[in-house]
Amino acid sequence: MTSTKFTLSQLQNEAKKLARRITPPVCIALWGDLGAGKTTFSKAFIRALLDDTKADVPSPTFTLVQIYPTDKGEVWHADLYRLSDPEETIELGLLEAFQKAICVIEWPDRLGNLLPQQRIDIYLDIIDEDHRSIRIEENHESSPIY
Ligand code: ATP
Ligand code: MG
């Protein structure tokens, strides 16, 4: 998929579209600088899975992970910015979650080689204050192409 220029609501809509077609287990890696929109995308994605546009979806900056029960099973939202050692993900239970859940990972580079090969990569880039580019690359066998 080529990158496209998205407004905030378009980016949120893209997250909803992905939420609708995704099935577990899946690892979604969100790549992008500070303020690129990783949490914004995750929020819209999780709210769509919860079918609740106003659900409280706090950034897991300090807790590292937040787990949400949804109709499609557990959704794990991780922000690994503060992860000091990839091995910590074992304690967090994230490696088990990769086997069963829908996992949305901010700062996936922190996982090193513990990042699953089978995953969906989403690259977010800041174009200007109100626009982001999104590129979605799928290496995930159960995801249908739309
Ligand atoms: P961090 O690495 O610090 O956690 P992040 O990638 O999670 O950063 P967000 O917390 O989602 O970034 O912040 C993105 C900010 O950019 C939000 O305040 C959001 O409202 C704003 N924004 C403006 N335009 C857009 C857009 N088109 N898409 C996404 N976010 C946008
Ligand atoms: Mg964030």
Side-chain angles (χ1 to χ4, degrees):
M1 192 198 242
T2 50
S3 30
T4 329
K5 193 171 167 177
F6 285 96
T7 62
L8 177 60
S9 61
Q10 287 171 333
L11 180 136
Q12 289 165 330
N13 196 48
E14 204 57 26
K16 276 183 229 160
K17 272 167 53 185
L18 182 65
R20 249 178 258 136
R21 69 186 173 87
I22 214 73
T23 52
V26 64
C27 171
I28 300 168
L30 289 165
W31 306 87
D33 293 338
L34 291 166
K38 302 179 295 297
T39 301
T40 303
F41 188 97
S42 305
K43 253 183 206 186
F45 179 84
I46 293 164
R47 283 175 170 167
L49 286 167
L50 291 169
D51 199 18
D52 180 353
T53 53
K54 295 193 177 123
D56 188 28
V57 180
S59 179
T61 313
F62 297 101
T63 53
L64 301 188
V65 296
Q66 293 279 349
I67 305 164
Y68 301 86
T70 77
D71 289 348
K72 292 190 186 179
E74 284 182 355
V75 175
W76 285 55
H77 181 200
D79 179 344
L80 304 179
Y81 189 74
R82 288 181 169 74
L83 193 78
S84 42
D85 181 344
E87 298 294 320
E88 266 183 64
T89 48
I90 299 166
E91 287 158 45
L92 291 169
L94 201 53
L95 298 190
E96 284 160 61
F98 289 145
Q99 309 295 322
K100 58 174 190 195
I102 297 173
C103 300
V104 190
I105 315 292
E106 299 186 44
W107 298 101
D109 58 298
R110 301 295 196 267
L111 285 173
N113 59 19
L114 295 177
L115 181 65
Q117 294 282 325
Q118 284 269 325
R119 62 177 191 264
I120 297 177
D121 287 310
I122 301 183
Y123 299 94
L124 297 169
D125 279 300
I126 302 177
I127 295 179
D128 60 36
E129 206 180 320
D130 299 326
H131 297 92
R132 304 291 183 266
S133 74
I134 308 181
R135 202 172 83 241
I136 301 182
E137 280 181 15
E138 309 203 12
N139 176 17
H140 179 253
E141 54 195 21
S142 62
S143 302
I145 311 275
Y146 54 44

